[in-house]
Amino acid sequence: MSLPDSSASDSPPTPSASHFKGDHGVDRNRRRILLGAPVLAGALAAPIADVRAQAGQPERWSAGWGCAPAGPPPSASMLTFTDQTLRLIVRTSLGGDRVRIRLSNEMGDTALRLASAHVGLRAGGAVVTAGTSRQLTFAGRTAVVIPAGAPVLSDPVSLPVAPLADLAISLYFPGTVQASTIHNAAYQASYASTTGNFGAQASFPVQRAFASWPFLTEVDVDRVAPVLVAVGDSVTDGVGSTSNGNRRWPDFLARRIQVELGSNRIGVVNRGIAANRLLADTPTTLLAGKDLLERFDRDVLSTAGVRGLAVLIGINDIVYSPSSAPIPVDDLIAGYLQLVARAHLHGIPVLGATLPPFLGFVYYTPAREAVRQAVNAWMRSALPFDLLADVDLALRDPDVPQRLRAAYDSGDRLHPNDVGYEALAATVPLPALSALMGA
C-alpha cells in the first residue's frame, strides 16, 4: 500500500535446509547448459547486422531493470507533456555490451506517438556522460506509434554498461501526451525538459522533476543471466526508503549478489506496486495496479530471462478487508498456491516471504493480525514455496512480536526504513536461490 495505503513486509533469517524443496520438475542441468552458453562478442548495434541473426541463432536477453505499470491516474493527477523530452533515470542490476528498452501504452486509450528515443549512461542528475548517448530505433525507425493497450520493444543498440550503472532514457514527444501508463512510486527523480528535443544532448534543460516512471517498463542487456523478478506491494516498491538512493530491498539484494556471488550472476527486477493486492483490485486507488494474479503473465512471464520469482504480498488483502471480519485465510492460501502453480508451469522456482508485523499501523486490528499470523504459520508449516524467507521473524520486535522493530521502522509502523530494507534483503538465501535458478 502507499501511505497509508501500502503493504507491509518483514525480513527473516536465512531459511534452513528444510526450506529447500527442490525443483518441482525444473530441469536444472538443462537450464545451466542454456545459461552457460557463451555470448558472441562484437555484436553490432543494428539488429539486421547482428552476427547471431545472420547465423540464425536466437538472441539472448536478460532484464537488468524493470517496473510494473499501472493507471490511468485520476485526471487531476495525470502528468501531461507537450513538445517535451522526458529523461527517465534507472539503475540496472546487470551489465552488458548492448541494451534495448520496453515501453508501454497498455493503460492508454489512444495511440502514443514517440518521435525520438535515446539511452546513455547517467553522469548525475539529468546529465548524460559525454559520448554515451545512443539513439534507439524501433524496427529500424527512429519514431514509433504504440497502439493503445500495447507495449513495444526497441531495437538493440551498442552501449557498454556495467552492473549497478545508472542509465538515462530520453523520450521525445512532439505533441501532447498524457502519462496514462505509469509506475507511480519510483522513489527516483526523473525529468521533463523545456520545449524541444534534447535526447541526444548530454546536458538537459529541466523544466520540472517528477518521481515516477511513465511509459518505461524494462531495460534489457545482451547477457545470458537468470533474472529474479520480485513482485509485491509497497514494501517491494520501496515506500519508506530514501529517494534517489536505490535502497529498496531488491536494490540491496542486487548489491549482495554482486558481492557474494560475483558480477552479473543474477539480475533483479522490481515489479512491486504500492497498494497492490494478491486477489483483488482497489478501484479507488487506480495506481495500485491490477491484482497480482491478474498481472502475473505481463509482469513476471514477459520479463526477459526470468528464472526465479520472489513473492512478498498479502498485507493489503488483509488491511483492506473488513476490520472485524477480514479476508479468510483459505482465500489467501489459494492465491499463493495459484502463483506457485503458474510459476512452476514455466519452470520458475518461487521464493516466498512471510508477512511483516504491523502493530500500530493505521489499519491494524486484532482480527487482521490473526489472519496474518495464520498465513505465516501456514507458510512455515506447509512449505508451499521452493524457498521461504521469514521476513516476519527478521523484522519484528523481539519483545513485541506483532510490532516492527523500532530500528527498522520508517515511521508508520508498517514500512521499513533503509536499514530495515537491507535487513530484509539479507534474509534471502543466496546459495540456495542461485542453485534453484541455475546461476
Side-chain angles (χ1 to χ4, degrees), residues 24-48:
H24 294 270
V26 178
D27 186 344
R28 282 186 289 177
N29 291 329
R30 179 176 179 272
R31 186 164 60 243
R32 287 195 182 100
I33 292 170
L34 290 174
L35 295 177
V39 177
L40 294 176
L44 302 177
I48 52 177

Side-chain angles (χ1 to χ4, degrees), residues 230-372:
V231 293
D233 45 48
S234 54
V235 173
T236 299
D237 215 358
V239 170
S241 67
T242 300
S243 294
N244 301 316
N246 293 294
R247 294 177 181 175
R248 314 161 194 87
W249 79 257
D251 299 321
F252 282 112
L253 179 61
R255 288 193 278 273
R256 270 192 69 200
I257 288 169
Q258 294 296 318
V259 171
E260 297 179 27
L261 296 184
S263 180
N264 283 319
R265 285 287 299 277
I266 296 176
V268 180
V269 167
N270 187 341
R271 304 286 196 190
I273 306 179
N276 197 235
R277 289 196 269 177
L278 174 63
L279 299 177
D281 298 344
T282 307
T284 57
T285 312
L286 300 176
L287 292 175
K290 299 296 184 182
D291 64 80
L292 183 52
L293 289 179
E294 185 174 351
R295 67 185 180 93
F296 177 83
D297 287 9
R298 181 198 67 200
D299 290 343
V300 178
L301 298 185
S302 68
T303 302
V306 58
R307 295 293 185 274
L309 172 66
V311 178
L312 176 52
I313 199 165
I315 281 290
N316 288 333
D317 295 80
I318 296 172
V319 302
Y320 287 148
S321 63
S323 59
S324 58
I327 185 171
V329 174
D330 286 347
D331 289 1
L332 287 170
I333 288 174
Y336 294 126
L337 292 176
Q338 275 292 305
L339 284 180
V340 172
R342 290 168 66 183
H344 285 173
L345 184 65
H346 295 273
I348 298 172
V350 183
L351 169 69
T354 53
L355 302 181
F358 71 120
L359 176 64
F361 183 63
V362 63
Y363 292 137
Y364 179 90
T365 68
R368 288 168 174 157
E369 171 66 9
V371 175
R372 185 187 74 90

